[in-house]
Amino acid sequence: MKMNRLGIVCATLTGLAALVMGVHSQEKKESAEAHKIVHFGDLKWTPIIKGCDMAAVAGNPEAEEQPFVIRLRCADGAKVPAHWHPTDENLTVLKGAFLVGMGDAFDESKLQTMNVGNFILMPKEMHHFASNKGETIVQVHGMGPFKVNWVNQSEVQPPDAPAAAAKPKS
């Protein structure tokens, strides 16, 4: 009888130890994958072409086969010349109206309007171009690297140079 009771106690302690280790392991896993809150005001915007800026939201858009999220902010009327990406592009309109068309050259007659909340999946290597109505912000997510290959580099307008510091008068 004492041997049976000893067996039950050992089995109970072993089960309890396994449970504690499992809970500890789960806590460790969850803390390693902590959530991330990104506030709009904390985004670091970088000019990419005339009238458009980009900010990384999550991940590294340049990393090979790693998930990323970026945002593009474009001024009213800003045009994005024809280009393509080596990976799929998943785009959601967050603000304004994003007009997108397919082809090798910017053609206003081919533009389709995407309003706030609209989503488009642009397959890798699909040639496309865009324009904006009102200040427009779109969010792009996918697997890196996120690269822009311009169909005709001469159509790309570089971003405006930052205003030069005022020179002191002599």
Side-chain angles (χ1 to χ4, degrees):
M1 183 90 152
K2 286 187 179 188
M3 285 298 247
N4 196 12
R5 201 177 285 175
L6 182 59
I8 291 172
V9 169
C10 286
T12 302
L13 289 175
T14 302
L16 187 58
L19 180 63
V20 168
M21 293 300 285
V23 167
H24 177 71
S25 173
Q26 183 64 29
E27 286 174 1
K28 204 174 193 183
K29 181 180 178 187
E30 288 173 3
S31 67
E33 298 174 10
H35 71 282
K36 178 181 179 183
I37 296 175
V38 178
H39 297 278
F40 184 80
D42 293 337
L43 294 175
K44 307 286 187 248
W45 296 97
T46 303
I48 52 172
I49 61 172
K50 185 174 180 69
C52 296
D53 304 322
M54 181 177 92
V57 177
N60 177 357
E62 297 175 12
E64 194 78 28
E65 296 188 23
Q66 294 296 311
F68 70 88
V69 178
I70 61 171
R71 289 196 183 156
L72 303 173
R73 175 180 65 186
C74 295
D76 181 34
K79 293 183 179 178
V80 181
H83 62 282
W84 58 275
H85 309 282
T87 58
D88 289 348
E89 178 183 30
N90 301 282
L91 185 144
T92 304
V93 180
L94 301 180
K95 179 182 180 182
F98 187 71
L99 291 75
V100 64
M102 307 308 136
D104 291 335
F106 191 94
D107 181 348
E108 224 170 286
S109 70
K110 293 182 179 178
L111 292 172
Q112 295 180 303
T113 301
M114 294 178 55
N115 294 307
V116 172
N118 291 161
F119 169 84
I120 185 170
L121 165 61
M122 195 69 63
K124 68 179 183 177
E125 300 178 5
M126 171 72 71
H127 291 199
H128 58 285
F129 49 89
S131 184
N132 304 276
K133 282 188 184 172
E135 181 184 56
T136 302
I137 298 175
V138 298
Q139 182 162 291
V140 177
H141 71 274
M143 295 296 280
F146 180 77
K147 293 183 180 176
V148 177
N149 298 293
W150 302 107
V151 174
N152 185 350
Q153 184 67 41
S154 66
E155 295 176 354
V156 179
Q157 294 183 2
D160 293 329
K167 292 182 181 179
K169 294 182 181 179
S170 41

